[in-house]
Amino acid sequence: MRKSALIVLLVLAAFTAYAGPRKSSIFNKEHMNVSVHGRYQHMLDGHNMYRDVADSYGSALAGVQVGFNTHVSDSSWWANAYNYPSLSLGFSYDNTGSLKTKPGTHLGDFYNLYLAMGFDFFRAGIFSVGPVIEVGASFCTDRYNPPYNLPNKFVGSTLLANLAGGLEAKVRFLPQWEFALTGYLVHHSNGMTRVPNWGTNQAAVGAKLKYYLTPQQTDKRIQLEKPAFPKGLKWNIYTAYGVHSCDMELQAKGPEAYPVKPRLRAILGADVAWRYHRLLSTGIGIEGNYAGNTYRENDLAIKGKEDPRGYSSIYTSVHLVQNLHYDNLSLHFAWGVYTFKKTGLAEDMGRCFQRIGARYHLPPFKTGQMFVGFDMRAHYLDRSYCLEFSVGVTL
C-alpha cells in the first residue's frame, strides 16, 4: 500500500494546544465556533485506479465542524509560540460511491469523523493564511471482497484512517464571521491492519464559512514570560506494539486467504535527546523489533525458493529523531535504518524506515516522567507499515 505516509500524524501537534494547564478554559462561549464546508474532490490515479476500477474521478464532500480557538487572552506562552492554533471536531460525507466504475467492481461512500488543527503562518488585519491538518476515522460502505469486489484493492476494510493536509486563506469579514478558501490532499487507508489496502488519494478544493459565538478581535502577538523547561540530555525508554497484515502473505496464498491474519509487531527501544530549546530537542535511538510472519512460506509460493540467508522474526535498528514540544506533549519525526533483518526474498519492508508520532508526558514521579504515545512507521517514504501504541519513561 503506497501513500503519503509522512502527513499521517502531523495533526497530533494540534492536541498540544490543549495539553497542559491554562489560566482560562477554552471550553466556553468565548473560544467556540461552528463552521460548514464543502469540497470538490478529484480521485488521483495511484496504483492504476483508472485502469482497474474507476471510470470517473470527481466527487463532492460536505461537512460541519465544532471548533475551539486559542487567543491572546489565554496568556499561554505555548499558544503564542505556535501563533494561537485552533482545534475542531468535524464530520463530513464524501459521495465517492457516485464515481463510475468498471464492470465487476464498485467504490463506496466515505463517512468521516475527525479532529482538525490549524494555525496561521501569516496575518494582516482581517486576512490570514495557514496550514490545516485533519486526522480521524472513516466508514466506507464498500471494500475489497472476493469474489464480489475483487478489483477494488484500494479499500481493504470498512473502517479506515482519514488523513488530510492543506492550506487555508481566510478573511474575517465581520467580527463573528469568517470565510475561507481551502486546498487539500486527502488519504484513506487502514495503516496495514488489513490487506489489500493500497489506499485512495484525492486532491480537493473547497470553501468554509465559520461563525464565532462571540465577536473576535484581530490578535496581536504579545510578550509572555517564558516557561521553564528541562534543558539538557534526556533518556526515553519505551515499549510499543501494533499489528501488520502482510500483502505478501495474501499474494502467496491468493484471495481465498482473505482476510489475512494481522500479526504482532513488538518494539523495545531507547533514545537519548538533547533539549536545547523550549520547542526543540534532537537525538538518536536504537530499537529491537519482533515481527511474526510467514516469510519462508511466502518465498516458496512467490519466488519458488527459500532465502539462502535464512529468516528471523527479530530485527534491530538505529534512528535519528527530531522533537517538537508543546507543554507536556511532543511531536517527533524519526528516520532510521535496520541494522539487522532477515525477512525473506518477498519482503514488504525496506532497509530504511520513517516514523512520525506524538507522546503525552504524564506528571513526573520520583524517578522520571511516564509518557504514552502513538506512532506510524512507514517504508519508502510513502508506504505505511504499522500503527504503534507505546508507553515509556523519560529519565
Side-chain angles (χ1 to χ4, degrees):
M1 177 188 64
R2 292 191 174 274
K3 63 182 186 175
S4 300
L6 293 182
I7 71 167
V8 169
L9 295 176
L10 286 176
V11 73
L12 290 172
F15 303 155
T16 63
Y18 315 101
R22 292 171 293 279
K23 295 183 180 180
S24 63
S25 172
I26 65 165
F27 299 101
N28 55 38
K29 186 177 180 180
E30 287 72 22
H31 292 78
M32 294 185 64
N33 59 76
V34 294
S35 61
V36 293
H37 62 276
R39 301 176 194 162
Y40 170 79
Q41 304 205 139
H42 176 96
M43 187 69 71
L44 302 178
D45 191 26
H47 289 282
N48 296 309
M49 175 174 273
Y50 293 163
R51 182 194 68 187
D52 298 335
V53 175
D55 275 332
S56 64
Y57 48 78
S59 63
L61 177 145
V64 60
Q65 296 180 1
V66 177
F68 309 93
N69 51 286
T70 57
H71 51 68
V72 171
S73 65
D74 300 319
S75 301
S76 167
W77 185 91
W78 301 100
N80 183 289
Y82 285 94
N83 207 7
Y84 298 100
S86 62
L87 186 70
S88 300
L89 175 66
F91 172 81
S92 62
Y93 164 72
D94 180 0
N95 70 334
T96 315
S98 67
L99 297 179
K100 296 179 181 179
T101 55
K102 307 288 185 183
T105 190
H106 41 88
L107 295 169
D109 296 332
F110 288 107
Y111 295 85
N112 310 304
L113 183 65
Y114 59 90
L115 286 171
M117 175 263 188
F119 64 94
D120 295 330
F121 279 149
F122 169 80
R123 289 179 181 174
I126 63 173
F127 298 97
S128 60
V129 177
V132 61
I133 307 168
E134 299 174 359
V135 62
S138 294
F139 175 81
C140 186
T141 55
D142 282 304
R143 59 170 172 80
Y144 172 86
N145 185 16
Y148 306 108
N149 200 10
L150 189 63
N152 183 14
K153 296 182 178 180
F154 300 86
V155 181
S157 57
T158 54
L159 186 62
L160 304 161
N162 170 46
L163 311 164
L167 195 67
E168 281 191 341
K170 299 168 286 188
V171 57
R172 186 86 52 78
F173 61 93
L174 288 173
Q176 290 178 252
W177 290 92
E178 183 176 87
F179 178 76
L181 295 176
T182 61
Y184 284 92
L185 290 176
V186 183
H187 179 78
H188 290 94
S189 74
N190 63 28
M192 293 301 281
T193 56
R194 180 168 288 189
V195 293
N197 193 76
W198 293 342
T200 65
N201 297 291
Q202 297 162 295
V205 293
K208 178 187 293 182
L209 184 64
K210 181 182 290 187
Y211 174 75
Y212 293 88
L213 272 61
T214 60
Q216 301 292 301
Q217 301 297 323
T218 301
D219 293 338
K220 295 182 179 180
R221 300 290 291 273
I222 61 175
Q223 294 296 320
L224 297 171
E225 183 180 352
K226 295 181 179 180
F229 71 101
K231 187 175 182 179
L233 206 60
K234 293 293 178 181
W235 282 91
N236 299 300
I237 302 171
Y238 57 91
T239 182
Y241 76 94
V243 296
H244 173 80
S245 189
C246 184
D247 193 56
M248 297 296 106
E249 191 171 346
L250 183 65
Q251 292 184 33
K253 297 180 180 179
E256 63 274 9
Y258 180 84
V260 173
K261 178 182 178 181
R263 300 187 182 276
L264 176 66
R265 297 293 184 263
I267 301 102
L268 181 63
D271 64 66
V272 58
W274 179 260
R275 182 80 176 268
Y276 51 89
H277 189 274
R278 289 167 181 82
L279 304 182
L280 301 170
S281 64
T282 304
I284 188 170
I286 59 173
E287 289 182 338
N289 302 260
Y290 169 82
N293 213 310
T294 54
Y295 300 128
R296 180 175 283 103
E297 292 88 337
N298 296 348
D299 278 355
L300 291 174
I302 297 174
K303 300 292 185 179
K305 58 182 178 180
E306 295 186 4
D307 189 339
R309 299 169 298 177
Y311 302 89
S312 174
S313 295
I314 304 296
Y315 52 94
T316 60
S317 63
V318 297
H319 62 270
L320 298 174
V321 60
Q322 177 63 46
N323 301 296
L324 300 178
H325 299 274
Y326 190 122
D327 207 349
N328 289 332
L329 196 143
S330 62
L331 176 71
H332 56 264
F333 308 84
W335 185 292
V337 60
Y338 294 112
T339 54
F340 169 82
K341 70 180 180 73
K342 293 182 179 180
T343 55
L345 301 171
E347 61 179 307
D348 64 343
M349 55 186 293
R351 172 61 64 181
C352 298
F353 70 90
Q354 304 80 45
R355 198 175 73 239
I356 181 170
R359 293 171 177 171
Y360 183 78
H361 299 261
L362 304 173
F365 53 94
K366 290 183 179 180
T367 58
Q369 187 173 25
M370 290 189 65
F371 60 82
V372 292
F374 179 76
D375 294 80
M376 190 195 72
R377 185 182 300 262
H379 296 142
Y380 309 106
L381 289 176
D382 66 348
R383 184 179 298 178
S384 176
Y385 179 74
C386 186
L387 303 177
E388 302 169 358
F389 297 89
S390 63
V391 60
V393 61
T394 299
L395 303 174

